């Protein structure tokens, strides 16, 4: 069953049977189970990651449904994390899927991520991304940033000590979030797919792409090659 | 001094080109480039304090000095929705 399930994927030369075997040994923590997090978690489960934790203390709202695929109207008011656990487990029972209905804070983030091979960013604010970045650098756990706005998404894989960290690129960005963020319904699926691929590359030890910017309306894809900032207050003192 | 600035994302659409040459005074900073960019493209005023700017592939603060030959990029702020 397992071989059949992943057969078409293992035929992909960039991935292969070896990639499939490696992926099955890996553990991801998805922080945030909304537009990006739910799509990326779904892809990782379907593709055969070994284990996945999905952390979110929010419940499904009708305003989530235009940009998510896993949730339905009957899920409104229920825990996003627990609904994702239930539905994604049903998709692939080989994968250990655990929904954690908890708010991520500076007190609990280390325990949530320290055993993970990668953190997947499904959050919706800058402050939490700075917290993830801090925990990533402290615990040497890589993460994959992704964000969306209107028709534009950004993705960047971050390996502490090796690649630029989030603080390297966001040092001028205030931690406060703007109000309600406009998002085209088709955007998170596209950006989560790119985020998933960067996550896979990170887990398989393949080179990451850099800062990716994709506009789904203009169909404009850009990659920005960036380097670590030696003056970065978060990772500047780390050796590569 | 003349600084060549590469623009990304919607800035490229606004400018309709991907490289812009700005004439910046000796001893000028990234902020001078941002000010010149916003003056030329007023729609970008909203991003003024949050633009991601790199110099020689390193993202830097807006008060960083620039010199002849520096490779500068301007990118819209990090997006934060999920």
């Amino acid at each position: 069953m397992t071989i059949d399930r992943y057969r078409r994927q293992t035929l992909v030369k960039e991935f292969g049977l070896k990639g499939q075997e490696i992926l099955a040994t890996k553990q991801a923590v998805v922080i945030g189970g909304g537009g990006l997090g739910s799509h990326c978690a779904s892809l990782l489960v379907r593709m055969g990651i070994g284990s996945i934790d999905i952390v979110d203390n929010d419940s499904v709202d009708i305003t989530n449904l235009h940009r998510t695929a896993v949730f339905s109207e009957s899920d409104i008011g229920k825990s996003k994390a627990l609904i994702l656990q239930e539905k994604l487990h049903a998709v692939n029972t080989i994968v250990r899927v655990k929904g954690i209905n908890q708010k991520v804070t500076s007190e609990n983030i280390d325990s949530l991520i320290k055993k993970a091979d990668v953190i997947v960013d499904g959050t919706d604010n800058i402050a939490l991304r700075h917290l993830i970045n801090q925990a990533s650098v402290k615990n040497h756990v890589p993460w994959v940033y992704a964000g969306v706005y209107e028709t534009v998404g950004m993705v960047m894989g971050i390996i502490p000590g090796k690649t630029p960290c989030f603080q390297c690129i966001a040092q001028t960005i205030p931690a406060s979030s703007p109000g309600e963020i406009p998002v085209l319904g088709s955007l998170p699926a596209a950006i989560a797919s790119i985020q998933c691929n960067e996550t896979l590359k990170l887990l398989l030890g393949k080179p990451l792409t850099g800062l990716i910017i994709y506009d789904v309306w203009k169909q404009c894809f850009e990659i920005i090659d960036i380097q670590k900032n030696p003056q970065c207050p978060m990772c500047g003192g780390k050796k590569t | 001094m003349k600084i060549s600035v590469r623009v990304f994302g919607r800035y490229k659409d606004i400018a309709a080109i991907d490289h812009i040459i700005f004439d910046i005074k000796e001893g000028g900073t990234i902020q001078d480039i941002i000010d010149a960019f916003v003056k030329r493209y007023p729609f970008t005023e909203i991003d003024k304090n949050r633009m991601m700017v790199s110099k020689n592939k390193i993202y830097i603060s807006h008060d960083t000095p620039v010199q002849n030959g520096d490779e500068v990029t301007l990118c819209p702020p990090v997006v934060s929705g999920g």
Side-chain angles (χ1 to χ4, degrees):
Chain A
M1 180 179 161
T2 305
I3 293 170
D4 272 351
R5 175 187 287 267
Y6 303 123
R7 190 179 65 241
R8 300 276 292 269
Q9 182 164 272
T10 59
L11 294 173
V12 177
K13 64 180 185 305
E14 287 82 357
F15 191 73
L17 192 55
K18 189 177 176 190
Q20 194 69 59
E21 288 169 355
I22 294 171
L23 186 61
T25 68
K26 300 298 184 183
Q27 178 173 348
V29 173
V30 179
I31 298 184
L36 288 168
S38 64
H39 276 296
C40 199
S42 174
L43 288 169
L44 289 169
V45 168
R46 289 168 195 278
M47 293 175 82
I49 194 155
S51 169
I52 191 165
D53 288 353
I54 304 156
V55 191
D56 198 320
N57 71 325
D58 204 1
S59 53
V60 179
D61 185 85
I62 195 161
T63 60
N64 302 134
L65 300 188
H66 83 291
R67 64 185 190 282
T68 53
V70 178
F71 303 129
S72 53
E73 288 183 5
S74 61
D75 298 322
I76 290 172
K78 297 176 185 170
S79 157
K80 286 180 182 173
L82 299 181
I83 290 291
L84 285 166
Q85 174 182 298
E86 177 192 328
K87 295 197 175 182
L88 296 184
H89 177 71
V91 166
N92 191 345
T93 53
I94 300 165
V95 178
R96 175 196 158 277
V97 184
K98 185 179 177 190
I100 302 173
N101 187 11
Q102 256 183 46
K103 183 175 183 177
V104 176
T105 67
S106 56
E107 282 74 39
N108 67 9
I109 191 165
D110 289 341
S111 62
L112 288 168
I113 61 111
K114 66 183 175 189
K115 288 182 182 170
D117 296 297
V118 66
I119 308 161
V120 175
D121 172 20
T123 66
D124 61 0
N125 66 83
I126 294 292
L128 192 46
R129 290 186 174 101
H130 279 299
L131 186 60
I132 293 171
N133 191 56
Q134 191 177 14
S136 157
V137 172
K138 180 182 169 188
N139 294 284
H140 308 286
V141 179
W143 69 291
V144 183
Y145 152 74
V148 290
Y149 184 86
E150 293 184 335
T151 63
V152 177
M154 292 185 181
V155 177
M156 188 172 84
I158 295 166
I159 303 175
K162 192 170 178 186
T163 70
C165 78
F166 189 68
Q167 183 80 35
C168 288
I169 65 165
Q171 56 182 300
T172 59
I173 310 299
S176 61
S177 291
E180 198 166 41
I181 294 171
V183 182
L184 192 70
S186 56
L187 178 64
I191 299 305
S193 181
I194 295 169
Q195 182 184 31
C196 176
N197 293 335
E198 291 303 293
T199 302
L200 291 177
K201 284 153 68 177
L202 199 152
L203 291 173
L204 301 183
K206 310 277 188 189
L208 299 176
T209 306
L211 177 63
I212 301 165
I213 305 176
Y214 181 41
D215 186 325
V216 295
W217 194 257
K218 298 186 175 75
Q219 302 297 2
C220 178
F221 194 93
E222 294 177 303
I223 295 167
I224 306 182
D225 178 24
I226 55 177
Q227 294 175 359
K228 284 182 67 180
N229 181 352
Q231 307 302 321
C232 174
M234 185 59 63
C235 73
K238 302 280 179 187
K239 291 180 179 175
T240 55
Chain B
M1 57 187 170
K2 296 204 184 301
I3 304 285
S4 174
V5 178
R6 190 173 174 204
V7 292
F8 286 94
R10 64 176 182 274
Y11 297 164
K12 194 160 70 176
D13 301 320
I14 291 167
I17 46 175
D18 60 6
H19 277 85
I20 307 168
I21 305 290
F22 287 107
D23 199 359
I24 303 297
K25 65 180 186 301
E26 289 293 330
T29 67
I30 291 293
Q31 190 62 55
D32 295 315
I33 293 174
I34 293 172
D35 290 344
F37 182 71
V38 169
K39 188 176 177 184
R40 193 180 298 185
Y41 307 106
F43 285 122
T44 62
E45 171 79 33
I46 192 170
D47 294 342
K48 190 173 174 180
N49 298 322
R50 306 186 304 132
M51 284 179 191
M52 291 201 298
V53 190
S54 77
K55 186 179 90 167
N56 304 327
K57 297 185 178 179
I58 295 173
Y59 279 80
I60 33 81
S61 60
H62 293 182
D63 58 358
T64 306
V66 285
Q67 294 178 321
N68 256 330
D70 281 340
E71 181 189 327
V72 174
T73 68
L74 279 184
C75 182
V78 162
V79 292
S80 59

